[in-house]
Amino acid sequence: MMESARSLLELFRPDSSRSDPKQFERGLEAYENGRYLEALRFWRLASRAGKPEADYRIGLLYARNEGVIGSIPDAVAWYERAALKGHLDAQFQLGLIYLNGVKATLGPNRPEMWRQSTAARLGDKAINLHDLVFPNGTGVAKDVDAAFLWMSVAAEAGKAEAQSILGDMYANGQGCVRDHAAALRWYQAAAEQKAASGEFALGDVYYQGRGVPVDFAQAAIWYHKAAEQGHVRAQVALAFMCLKAPGFPKMSKRPHGCSRAPLRMTIRSRSTTLRCCG
């Protein structure tokens, strides 16, 4: 019997290990060795035993197309099971997915192509079939209210990436009333955890004067912190400030063409001296 067929049979075969407290760990071992269907089998058992990490891991299998047909809607269903049990990463993933939405993709062997084809051939009779085959649909509608809810939960629980994004949502009025003061607080919370996204956002806040006085020196300090962590947009912003920002001292050395020659200048604020290098 082929290994994949054997794995499928094992997936649905009654198992005497349902009470095994190490189901999740056995699934993790199978996953790390590339046996995704076996991992799914054990994680389903762990999920039935109430382990939210198992729900989250099953969601990842659907999101990554590992051992199952890739499906973000199915991933969302499993993330929600985990999120409602307090799983932080699942809450964050839900926030991201609802913030952007996921369109059903067309193409050969894609679920949405099959759904449209059967709908054209069978008409209304296809509805029950679709509900059976795709109980969670083939796409995820954008929902900024749900995104704001889950991102808030994850941010309150201390996830730095969620804090940065929640700051963006407050700054742009997505799922909430625009509130620059709230945005600043969440950016600061993320930056306190040394999240480059939060540091970059603080640079933008001070550069643009969003809810605070414009302060190019503070902007450069925060851009520099993010740039040192490899944040590309911060690196670009810092280089732009070195080259173009009004009121800054002239550079002692300019880059030649597209070379990486250092840009050196000193930016002074009331209590900080920053030596800026691009």
Side-chain angles (χ1 to χ4, degrees):
M1 182 182 294
M2 293 178 60
E3 183 63 30
S4 59
R6 183 181 296 110
S7 297
L8 282 170
L9 288 175
E10 289 293 329
L11 177 61
F12 297 105
R13 180 178 297 165
D15 195 296
S16 61
S17 65
R18 292 179 186 276
S19 60
D20 184 352
K22 295 184 178 180
Q23 291 158 348
F24 176 77
E25 288 74 12
R26 293 172 70 183
L28 190 60
E29 180 182 357
Y31 178 84
E32 291 174 347
N33 286 282
R35 303 194 302 273
Y36 301 131
L37 277 174
E38 185 178 341
L40 176 61
R41 173 175 171 252
F42 283 119
W43 286 342
R44 280 184 179 274
L45 294 174
S47 172
R48 291 170 194 164
K51 191 172 182 65
E53 181 67 18
D55 297 324
Y56 176 66
R57 292 287 185 144
I58 294 173
L60 288 179
L61 290 178
Y62 281 103
R64 296 171 177 174
N65 192 27
E66 293 177 331
V68 293
I69 296 175
S71 170
I72 297 301
D74 288 337
V76 165
W78 285 100
Y79 288 156
E80 286 182 341
R81 290 169 62 116
L84 290 171
K85 297 171 186 172
H87 194 286
L88 180 56
D89 287 330
Q91 294 163 348
F92 176 63
Q93 288 298 324
L94 285 175
L96 283 179
I97 291 170
Y98 283 125
L99 180 60
N100 299 297
V102 178
K103 292 184 179 180
T105 56
L106 296 174
N109 302 318
R110 302 298 300 177
E112 179 62 15
M113 182 66 76
W114 183 87
R115 189 195 68 80
Q116 291 187 13
S117 175
T118 54
R121 287 186 288 107
L122 302 177
D124 292 341
K125 295 180 181 179
I127 295 176
N128 290 336
L129 180 61
H130 295 163
D131 289 343
L132 176 64
V133 178
F134 305 117
N136 299 306
T138 57
V140 180
K142 181 177 180 177
D143 187 339
V144 293
D145 292 330
F148 181 80
L149 169 65
W150 286 116
M151 206 61 74
S152 296
V153 172
E156 291 283 359
K159 190 166 183 68
E161 298 94 329
Q163 292 169 343
S164 295
I165 294 174
L166 186 60
D168 290 340
M169 296 186 78
Y170 272 113
N172 298 315
Q174 292 177 291
C176 60
V177 176
R178 181 171 293 178
D179 186 338
H180 289 304
L184 178 61
R185 288 196 298 273
W186 284 115
Y187 292 149
Q188 289 171 333
E192 285 174 3
Q193 297 191 62
K194 300 189 183 303
S197 55
E199 294 168 344
F200 168 74
L202 284 176
D204 266 359
V205 165
Y206 285 107
Y207 186 84
Q208 299 176 28
R210 288 192 274 119
V212 298
V214 171
D215 188 332
F216 291 144
Q218 280 296 314
I221 288 169
W222 286 111
Y223 283 149
H224 187 264
K225 288 178 181 288
E228 284 189 322
Q229 295 195 63
H231 195 288
V232 175
R233 291 178 64 191
Q235 293 168 348
V236 172
L238 189 62
F240 178 83
M241 290 187 73
C242 290
L243 291 167
K244 301 292 185 181
F248 274 58
K250 293 183 179 180
M251 296 175 295
S252 62
K253 187 173 183 180
R254 289 180 177 274
H256 299 288
C258 294
S259 70
R260 296 186 178 180
L263 310 178
R264 299 187 182 278
M265 58 180 289
T266 299
I267 303 169
R268 298 182 183 276
S269 65
R270 293 180 181 176
S271 59
T272 305
T273 299
L274 169 68
R275 191 163 298 279
C276 171
C277 300

